[in-house]
Amino acid sequence: RVQLVESGGGSVQTGGSLRLSCAASEYTYSNNYMTWFRQAPGKEREGVASIYIDGTTSGKTYYADSVKGRFTISQENAKITVYLQMNNLKPEDTAMYYCAADKLLFTDWRRQDAYQSWGQGTQVTVSS
């Protein structure tokens, strides 16, 4: 059964913007960390941003240093969806972006092996 579905990837030039969406089933949304990871060719997968879905309209957020000030993670509870707004994109942001979800009890949000649910990924390509 499909639990997480990403969309919104594409190709843009340096300085451009994209918004990624991660649609979740209720099972994988509430009381979970919803996290975006990315993996560039030849590189390890890395955590980009995470948000804790705690029943409010804006859960606590976390960001990798490389995207702070450029990316914003947000939630829309009515649609059971998490977004990643990416501004001022750089060629080094080129990667496959994945959405993941887990309760992460006492675990750092960047630890990918802690996540049980993953989407299929969406490609982001930034040209110079």
Side-chain angles (χ1 to χ4, degrees), residues 12 18 20 26 31 33 42 45 47 51 55 61 68 72 77 86 88 95 98 102 105 108 110 121 126:
V12 295
L18 284 172
L20 306 184
E26 183 62 33
N31 303 117
Y33 287 84
R45 191 175 298 185
I51 187 167
T61 57
K68 281 180 182 177
T72 302
N77 293 343
M86 305 185 295
N88 191 21
Y98 299 90
D102 204 273
L105 298 176
D108 188 279
R110 291 161 290 193
V126 185

Side-chain angles (χ1 to χ4, degrees), residues 2 10 13 18 34 42-46 50 68 71 75 78 87 95 98 101 109 112 121 125:
V2 176
Q13 293 186 327
L18 284 172
M34 301 290 292
K43 294 188 176 181
E44 293 187 356
R45 191 175 298 185
E46 62 174 352
S50 184
K68 281 180 182 177
F71 291 10
Q75 65 192 86
N87 297 328
Y98 299 90
W109 67 272
Q112 56 178 302
T125 303

Side-chain angles (χ1 to χ4, degrees), residues 37-48 90-98 112 122-126:
F37 287 87
R38 67 185 180 187
Q39 187 167 22
K43 294 188 176 181
E44 293 187 356
R45 191 175 298 185
E46 62 174 352
V48 176
K90 305 175 181 180
E92 52 263 43
D93 295 317
T94 295
M96 183 71 79
Y97 284 70
Y98 299 90
Q112 56 178 302
T122 185
Q123 179 67 38
V124 171
T125 303
V126 185

Side-chain angles (χ1 to χ4, degrees), residues 7-83:
S7 61
S11 297
V12 295
Q13 293 186 327
T14 297
S17 298
L18 284 172
R19 188 178 79 157
L20 306 184
S21 299
C22 174
S25 64
E26 183 62 33
Y27 177 78
T28 53
Y29 187 76
S30 299
N31 303 117
N32 276 272
Y33 287 84
M34 301 290 292
T35 301
W36 287 97
F37 287 87
R38 67 185 180 187
Q39 187 167 22
K43 294 188 176 181
E44 293 187 356
R45 191 175 298 185
E46 62 174 352
V48 176
S50 184
I51 187 167
Y52 183 63
I53 309 300
D54 60 3
T56 68
T57 57
S58 183
K60 187 173 176 59
T61 57
Y62 308 82
Y63 295 94
D65 288 343
S66 59
V67 305
K68 281 180 182 177
R70 300 188 299 122
F71 291 10
T72 302
I73 190 168
S74 62
Q75 65 192 86
E76 186 171 357
N77 293 343
K79 294 185 176 181
I80 319 178
T81 297
V82 169
Y83 303 100

